[in-house]
């Protein structure tokens, strides 16, 4: 399934700079791949908790291991609330998922 990845690993000791190519290859592969299961799960929770959200984006910023996420939510449900209250709403919505995380970056906006 990941033959190119295996070939890079097997050839790592023979070619100069191959470790850098390995990291770059993994980074590029991640950039063009679909969302991780954790990203999908968190986005689903946020969409259910914020049904009026015009945008929900979740990114695993821990390299794919699920330890740290960045969430962006744009919703009219934040209108009239201070940023700290908006972030409390996100924390409350993700309270069960947060238990297994090391960190969470939250960005909230109100549509214009």
């Amino acid at each position: 399934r990941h033959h190119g990845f295996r070939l890079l690993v097997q050839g790592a000791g023979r070619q100069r700079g191959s470790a850098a190519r390995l990291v770059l290859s993994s980074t590029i592969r991640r950039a063009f791949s679909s969302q991780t299961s954790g990203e999908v799960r968190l986005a689903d929770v946020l969409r259910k908790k914020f049904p009026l959200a015009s945008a929900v984006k979740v990114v695993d910023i821990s390299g794919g291991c699920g330890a740290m996420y960045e969430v962006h939510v744009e919703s009219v449900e934040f209108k009239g609330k201070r940023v700290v209250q908006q972030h409390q709403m996100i924390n409350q919505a993700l309270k069960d998922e947060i238990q297994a995380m090391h960190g969470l970056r939250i960005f909230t906006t109100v549509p214009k």
Side-chain angles (χ1 to χ4, degrees), residues 25 45 60:
S25 175
V45 170
D60 183 337

Side-chain angles (χ1 to χ4, degrees), residues 2 4-13 15-30:
H2 298 316
F5 184 76
R6 269 195 218 118
L7 287 174
L8 267 152
V9 171
Q10 290 170 351
Q15 291 181 314
R16 184 179 197 160
S18 57
R21 280 193 297 280
L22 174 64
V23 171
L24 183 58
S25 175
S26 299
T27 302
I28 290 170
R29 187 181 321 281
R30 172 68 179 114

Side-chain angles (χ1 to χ4, degrees), residues 18 48 54 90:
S18 57
K48 286 177 185 155
S54 50
I90 297 292

Side-chain angles (χ1 to χ4, degrees), residues 28-47:
I28 290 170
R29 187 181 321 281
R30 172 68 179 114
F32 291 108
S33 68
S34 60
Q35 289 185 303
T36 66
S37 60
E39 290 168 338
V40 171
R41 187 180 68 254
L42 293 177
D44 287 345
V45 170
L46 289 169
R47 283 189 193 97

Side-chain angles (χ1 to χ4, degrees), residues 28-101:
I28 290 170
R29 187 181 321 281
R30 172 68 179 114
F32 291 108
S33 68
S34 60
Q35 289 185 303
T36 66
S37 60
E39 290 168 338
V40 171
R41 187 180 68 254
L42 293 177
D44 287 345
V45 170
L46 289 169
R47 283 189 193 97
K48 286 177 185 155
K49 300 286 185 172
F50 299 97
L52 302 177
S54 50
V56 172
K57 180 181 175 189
V58 178
V59 180
D60 183 337
I61 57 174
S62 63
C65 73
M68 191 163 187
Y69 290 92
E70 182 173 290
V71 300
H72 298 258
V73 180
E74 180 180 88
S75 179
V76 295
E77 294 157 284
F78 300 137
K79 189 172 182 166
K81 295 188 174 22
R82 294 174 307 181
V83 173
V84 70
Q85 292 171 314
Q86 296 171 17
H87 290 202
Q88 287 170 339
M89 292 169 69
I90 297 292
N91 277 310
Q92 183 61 33
L94 296 175
K95 67 180 177 190
D96 294 334
E97 290 75 16
I98 287 174
Q99 303 295 323
M101 291 182 206

